[in-house]
Short mmCIF file of all heavy atoms in Angstrom, two decimals:
data_model
loop_
_atom_site.label_atom_id
_atom_site.label_comp_id
_atom_site.label_asym_id
_atom_site.label_seq_id
_atom_site.Cartn_x
_atom_site.Cartn_y
_atom_site.Cartn_z
N TYR A 18 -18.00 -3.82 4.67
CA TYR A 18 -17.72 -2.57 5.11
C TYR A 18 -18.13 -2.30 6.51
O TYR A 18 -19.34 -2.51 6.79
CB TYR A 18 -18.43 -1.52 4.20
CG TYR A 18 -18.01 -0.06 4.55
CD1 TYR A 18 -16.86 0.45 4.12
CD2 TYR A 18 -18.86 0.71 5.43
CE1 TYR A 18 -16.46 1.70 4.40
CE2 TYR A 18 -18.40 1.97 5.74
CZ TYR A 18 -17.31 2.47 5.23
OH TYR A 18 -16.99 3.78 5.62
N PRO A 19 -17.29 -1.87 7.42
CA PRO A 19 -17.65 -1.86 8.95
C PRO A 19 -18.32 -0.65 9.27
O PRO A 19 -17.59 0.35 9.79
CB PRO A 19 -16.30 -2.08 9.54
CG PRO A 19 -15.38 -1.42 8.62
CD PRO A 19 -15.82 -1.64 7.15
N ASP A 20 -19.71 -0.42 9.19
CA ASP A 20 -20.29 0.67 9.61
C ASP A 20 -20.06 0.93 11.10
O ASP A 20 -20.08 0.00 11.91
CB ASP A 20 -21.86 0.57 9.37
CG ASP A 20 -22.17 0.13 7.94
OD1 ASP A 20 -22.19 1.06 7.16
OD2 ASP A 20 -22.34 -1.09 7.73
N ASP A 21 -20.01 2.21 11.56
CA ASP A 21 -19.96 2.75 12.93
C ASP A 21 -19.01 1.88 13.72
O ASP A 21 -19.45 1.19 14.72
CB ASP A 21 -21.41 2.59 13.46
CG ASP A 21 -21.52 3.28 14.79
OD1 ASP A 21 -20.65 4.06 15.22
OD2 ASP A 21 -22.53 2.83 15.63
N SER A 22 -17.73 1.70 13.34
CA SER A 22 -16.83 0.81 13.87
C SER A 22 -15.45 1.47 14.05
O SER A 22 -14.96 2.33 13.28
CB SER A 22 -16.63 -0.37 13.05
OG SER A 22 -17.85 -1.09 12.92
N ILE A 23 -14.74 0.88 15.09
CA ILE A 23 -13.19 1.02 15.23
C ILE A 23 -12.65 -0.25 14.58
O ILE A 23 -13.04 -1.38 15.10
CB ILE A 23 -13.04 1.06 16.64
CG1 ILE A 23 -13.62 2.39 17.34
CG2 ILE A 23 -11.38 1.31 16.87
CD1 ILE A 23 -13.39 2.34 18.80
N VAL A 24 -11.70 -0.08 13.69
CA VAL A 24 -11.00 -1.28 13.17
C VAL A 24 -9.65 -1.00 13.32
O VAL A 24 -9.06 0.07 13.03
CB VAL A 24 -11.32 -1.45 11.63
CG1 VAL A 24 -10.56 -2.60 11.07
CG2 VAL A 24 -12.82 -1.56 11.44
N MET A 25 -8.91 -2.03 13.85
CA MET A 25 -7.33 -1.99 14.10
C MET A 25 -6.71 -3.07 13.32
O MET A 25 -7.24 -4.29 13.47
CB MET A 25 -7.00 -1.81 15.53
CG MET A 25 -7.70 -0.75 16.26
SD MET A 25 -7.45 -0.74 18.07
CE MET A 25 -5.64 -0.50 18.19
N VAL A 26 -5.66 -2.97 12.64
CA VAL A 26 -4.92 -3.97 11.95
C VAL A 26 -3.51 -3.87 12.35
O VAL A 26 -2.78 -2.84 12.28
CB VAL A 26 -5.14 -3.71 10.40
CG1 VAL A 26 -4.43 -4.85 9.62
CG2 VAL A 26 -6.71 -3.70 10.04
N ALA A 27 -3.00 -5.01 12.60
CA ALA A 27 -1.48 -5.16 12.90
C ALA A 27 -0.81 -5.39 11.63
O ALA A 27 -1.10 -6.05 10.78
CB ALA A 27 -1.37 -6.33 13.91
N LEU A 28 0.39 -4.90 11.63
CA LEU A 28 1.39 -5.01 10.52
C LEU A 28 2.68 -5.69 11.02
O LEU A 28 3.13 -5.39 12.03
CB LEU A 28 1.87 -3.71 9.96
CG LEU A 28 0.62 -2.88 9.41
CD1 LEU A 28 1.06 -1.39 8.98
CD2 LEU A 28 -0.04 -3.53 8.26
N HIS A 29 3.11 -6.73 10.20
CA HIS A 29 4.16 -7.61 10.77
C HIS A 29 5.23 -7.61 9.70
O HIS A 29 5.08 -7.45 8.56
CB HIS A 29 3.68 -9.05 10.98
CG HIS A 29 2.67 -9.19 11.95
ND1 HIS A 29 3.14 -9.58 13.25
CD2 HIS A 29 1.37 -9.10 12.01
CE1 HIS A 29 1.99 -9.63 14.07
NE2 HIS A 29 0.92 -9.38 13.34
N GLY A 30 6.39 -7.83 10.27
CA GLY A 30 7.66 -8.14 9.47
C GLY A 30 8.26 -6.99 8.69
O GLY A 30 7.74 -5.87 8.80
N GLU A 31 9.38 -7.21 8.05
CA GLU A 31 10.05 -6.19 7.20
C GLU A 31 9.24 -5.63 6.14
O GLU A 31 9.35 -4.45 5.74
CB GLU A 31 11.45 -6.69 6.71
CG GLU A 31 12.38 -7.07 7.87
CD GLU A 31 13.65 -7.63 7.20
OE1 GLU A 31 13.73 -7.69 6.04
OE2 GLU A 31 14.57 -7.93 8.08
N ARG A 32 8.35 -6.48 5.57
CA ARG A 32 7.57 -6.13 4.39
C ARG A 32 6.15 -5.49 4.97
O ARG A 32 5.27 -5.28 4.13
CB ARG A 32 7.35 -7.22 3.48
CG ARG A 32 8.68 -7.86 3.04
CD ARG A 32 8.43 -8.95 2.02
NE ARG A 32 7.77 -8.49 0.70
CZ ARG A 32 7.48 -9.24 -0.22
NH1 ARG A 32 7.71 -10.60 -0.13
NH2 ARG A 32 6.80 -8.81 -1.26
N THR A 33 6.08 -5.32 6.17
CA THR A 33 4.77 -4.89 6.85
C THR A 33 3.58 -5.55 6.19
O THR A 33 2.66 -4.89 5.74
CB THR A 33 4.65 -3.33 6.59
OG1 THR A 33 4.64 -2.98 5.20
CG2 THR A 33 5.74 -2.58 7.25
N ARG A 34 3.41 -6.78 6.45
CA ARG A 34 2.33 -7.65 5.97
C ARG A 34 1.08 -7.41 6.94
O ARG A 34 1.33 -7.20 8.23
CB ARG A 34 2.76 -9.13 5.92
CG ARG A 34 3.84 -9.46 4.89
CD ARG A 34 3.90 -10.84 4.81
NE ARG A 34 4.27 -11.48 6.13
CZ ARG A 34 5.46 -11.62 6.59
NH1 ARG A 34 6.56 -11.15 6.05
NH2 ARG A 34 5.59 -12.24 7.89
N PHE A 35 -0.07 -7.55 6.34
CA PHE A 35 -1.28 -7.47 7.24
C PHE A 35 -1.34 -8.72 8.18
O PHE A 35 -1.11 -9.78 7.74
CB PHE A 35 -2.61 -7.27 6.31
CG PHE A 35 -2.75 -6.08 5.61
CD1 PHE A 35 -2.80 -6.02 4.28
CD2 PHE A 35 -2.60 -4.87 6.32
CE1 PHE A 35 -3.01 -4.88 3.64
CE2 PHE A 35 -2.84 -3.65 5.58
CZ PHE A 35 -2.98 -3.68 4.21
N GLY A 36 -1.65 -8.37 9.49
CA GLY A 36 -1.62 -9.43 10.38
C GLY A 36 -3.10 -9.47 11.03
O GLY A 36 -4.20 -9.33 10.40
N GLY A 37 -3.12 -9.64 12.33
CA GLY A 37 -4.37 -9.63 13.06
C GLY A 37 -5.15 -8.36 12.94
O GLY A 37 -4.53 -7.36 12.72
N ARG A 38 -6.39 -8.50 13.10
CA ARG A 38 -7.41 -7.42 12.90
C ARG A 38 -8.42 -7.42 14.04
O ARG A 38 -8.84 -8.52 14.44
CB ARG A 38 -7.93 -7.29 11.53
CG ARG A 38 -8.54 -8.54 11.06
CD ARG A 38 -8.42 -8.61 9.56
NE ARG A 38 -7.02 -9.11 9.22
CZ ARG A 38 -6.66 -9.19 8.03
NH1 ARG A 38 -7.43 -9.07 6.99
NH2 ARG A 38 -5.32 -9.72 7.83
N LEU A 39 -8.98 -6.39 14.27
CA LEU A 39 -10.01 -6.28 15.36
C LEU A 39 -11.04 -5.18 15.04
O LEU A 39 -10.65 -4.14 14.39
CB LEU A 39 -9.30 -5.97 16.72
CG LEU A 39 -9.97 -5.74 17.95
CD1 LEU A 39 -9.03 -6.06 19.13
CD2 LEU A 39 -10.38 -4.39 18.14
N ARG A 40 -12.21 -5.41 15.28
CA ARG A 40 -13.28 -4.50 15.00
C ARG A 40 -14.26 -4.41 16.21
O ARG A 40 -14.66 -5.42 16.87
CB ARG A 40 -14.25 -4.90 13.82
CG ARG A 40 -15.21 -3.91 13.32
CD ARG A 40 -16.40 -4.54 12.77
NE ARG A 40 -17.29 -5.28 13.69
CZ ARG A 40 -18.10 -4.69 14.58
NH1 ARG A 40 -18.37 -3.30 14.53
NH2 ARG A 40 -18.77 -5.34 15.32
N LEU A 41 -14.72 -3.15 16.59
CA LEU A 41 -15.74 -2.94 17.60
C LEU A 41 -16.55 -1.72 17.36
O LEU A 41 -15.98 -0.78 16.74
CB LEU A 41 -14.99 -2.71 18.94
CG LEU A 41 -15.79 -2.50 20.23
CD1 LEU A 41 -16.42 -3.81 20.61
CD2 LEU A 41 -14.94 -1.91 21.43
N GLY A 42 -17.68 -1.84 17.68
CA GLY A 42 -18.58 -0.65 17.50
C GLY A 42 -18.19 0.50 18.34
O GLY A 42 -17.58 0.46 19.39
N ILE A 43 -18.21 1.75 17.68
CA ILE A 43 -17.78 3.00 18.38
C ILE A 43 -18.72 3.17 19.51
O ILE A 43 -19.99 3.41 19.28
CB ILE A 43 -17.82 4.13 17.43
CG1 ILE A 43 -16.80 3.87 16.25
CG2 ILE A 43 -17.45 5.36 18.16
CD1 ILE A 43 -16.83 5.02 15.29
N PRO A 44 -18.11 3.30 20.84
CA PRO A 44 -19.22 3.60 21.83
C PRO A 44 -19.67 4.95 21.81
O PRO A 44 -19.08 5.94 21.45
CB PRO A 44 -18.04 3.59 23.11
CG PRO A 44 -16.95 2.80 22.67
CD PRO A 44 -16.84 3.06 21.19
N ALA A 45 -21.03 4.97 22.00
CA ALA A 45 -21.77 6.21 21.90
C ALA A 45 -21.37 7.25 22.90
O ALA A 45 -21.44 8.55 22.66
CB ALA A 45 -23.29 5.99 22.05
N ASP A 46 -20.94 6.70 24.08
CA ASP A 46 -20.60 7.67 25.22
C ASP A 46 -19.03 7.98 25.08
O ASP A 46 -18.24 7.04 25.32
CB ASP A 46 -20.93 7.07 26.56
CG ASP A 46 -20.71 8.05 27.78
OD1 ASP A 46 -20.15 9.14 27.53
OD2 ASP A 46 -21.20 7.73 28.84
N PRO A 47 -18.56 9.11 24.94
CA PRO A 47 -17.15 9.43 24.77
C PRO A 47 -16.35 9.23 26.12
O PRO A 47 -15.20 8.97 26.08
CB PRO A 47 -17.13 10.86 24.36
CG PRO A 47 -18.43 11.26 23.74
CD PRO A 47 -19.43 10.36 24.47
N SER A 48 -17.02 9.17 27.19
CA SER A 48 -16.38 8.91 28.40
C SER A 48 -15.87 7.50 28.43
O SER A 48 -14.98 7.16 29.35
CB SER A 48 -17.35 9.08 29.60
OG SER A 48 -18.30 8.22 29.66
N HIS A 49 -16.36 6.59 27.54
CA HIS A 49 -15.90 5.20 27.63
C HIS A 49 -14.67 5.02 26.56
O HIS A 49 -14.07 3.90 26.62
CB HIS A 49 -17.07 4.19 27.11
CG HIS A 49 -18.28 4.25 28.03
ND1 HIS A 49 -19.55 3.69 27.64
CD2 HIS A 49 -18.31 4.63 29.32
CE1 HIS A 49 -20.17 3.77 28.63
NE2 HIS A 49 -19.65 4.25 29.80
N TRP A 50 -14.34 6.09 25.93
CA TRP A 50 -13.29 5.93 24.84
C TRP A 50 -11.94 5.57 25.45
O TRP A 50 -11.25 4.72 24.96
CB TRP A 50 -13.22 7.23 24.10
CG TRP A 50 -14.35 7.35 23.19
CD1 TRP A 50 -15.46 6.43 22.94
CD2 TRP A 50 -14.65 8.52 22.35
NE1 TRP A 50 -16.42 7.04 22.07
CE2 TRP A 50 -15.90 8.20 21.57
CE3 TRP A 50 -13.99 9.67 22.01
CZ2 TRP A 50 -16.47 9.12 20.70
CZ3 TRP A 50 -14.62 10.67 21.08
CH2 TRP A 50 -15.81 10.26 20.49
#
Side-chain angles (χ1 to χ4, degrees):
Y18 183 81
D20 308 279
D21 192 19
S22 297
I23 303 169
V24 179
M25 301 175 67
V26 181
L28 300 175
H29 292 269
E31 295 180 358
R32 302 181 64 182
T33 58
R34 298 185 304 274
F35 292 124
R38 57 215 68 180
L39 180 153
R40 189 209 68 84
L41 183 72
I43 297 177
D46 187 351
S48 66
H49 296 164
W50 291 355

